[in-house]
Amino acid sequence: MMRAARTLSLLLLSATPALCFAQKTAEDLQKMYVDFLAEEGYRPEVDKDGDVQFKAEGKTFFIDVDADDLNYFRLALPNIWPIESEQERTQCYVAADFSNAQSKVAKTYLVGDNIWVGIEVFVAEPQDFKRIFARSLSALGNGVNQFAAKMREQQK
């Protein structure tokens, strides 16, 4: 009996931080992302979809705000390559596949008539994204570079 009570106590204690953050809202996530990005020297804004966007090296990135899945972190760079023909669409599929195979964590994919690259990971706690942010930005850049290199190769 005593052992069961101790086990229950440990379970409740270990779940407490997650339970506290589970009550957070989309606005809490937005604030956490905005505050972090501002501290890092970016000028973040909340866009019309509720995501947090910021510019780096002349490109507009966004962090997806998903209050339904607090352990999901997604950093994306939309519209890196417009698809202007069906032949180019086929080349984009080949280049996206190449980029996905060559890149760690980065996902290159088609959204309508554009190519996007994103980082999608699960974090133990929502604030843990801070520890992987710089590497995520770098990995995303690698995904973009792999895609663009393959496109240039195919268009020669």
Side-chain angles (χ1 to χ4, degrees):
M1 183 72 156
M2 195 68 159
R3 184 179 208 170
R6 189 172 358 150
T7 301
L8 180 59
S9 242
L10 288 173
L11 284 173
L12 289 174
L13 284 174
S14 66
T16 302
L19 290 174
C20 292
F21 211 100
Q23 296 172 6
K24 298 290 184 182
T25 64
E27 291 79 21
D28 295 323
L29 286 175
Q30 289 166 343
K31 181 174 177 6
M32 180 179 65
Y33 295 143
V34 165
D35 289 350
F36 171 79
L37 290 167
E39 288 172 15
E40 294 295 308
Y42 300 102
R43 294 183 178 168
E45 299 175 350
V46 176
D47 68 15
K48 63 181 173 48
D49 297 328
D51 299 322
V52 176
Q53 69 178 30
F54 64 98
K55 289 190 184 231
E57 299 178 17
K59 299 174 182 128
T60 302
F61 297 80
F62 74 85
I63 298 174
D64 188 26
V65 175
D66 187 347
D68 294 328
D69 189 351
L70 298 173
N71 302 100
Y72 173 70
F73 175 71
R74 178 179 177 218
L75 172 65
L77 179 59
N79 307 323
I80 68 157
W81 192 285
I83 302 169
E84 298 176 350
S85 69
E86 287 310 305
Q87 177 185 356
E88 189 173 51
R89 181 178 304 279
T90 300
Q91 292 172 336
C92 286
Y93 281 123
V94 170
D97 183 57
F98 176 81
S99 176
N100 291 337
Q102 297 298 313
S103 305
K104 292 180 180 177
V105 185
K107 293 167 77 173
T108 303
Y109 48 96
L110 283 74
V111 176
D113 289 331
N114 264 294
I115 299 296
W116 290 31
V117 181
I119 299 294
E120 298 182 24
V121 298
F122 293 114
V123 291
E125 298 294 332
Q127 62 274 15
D128 290 346
F129 86 93
K130 296 173 186 178
R131 297 171 52 195
I132 62 166
F133 180 79
R135 187 158 186 202
S136 295
L137 203 54
S138 175
L140 195 152
N142 181 56
V144 170
N145 292 339
Q146 294 290 340
F147 173 84
K150 190 65 169 181
M151 285 300 291
R152 285 191 296 273
E153 175 187 305
Q154 293 181 93
Q155 293 180 342
K156 285 183 181 177

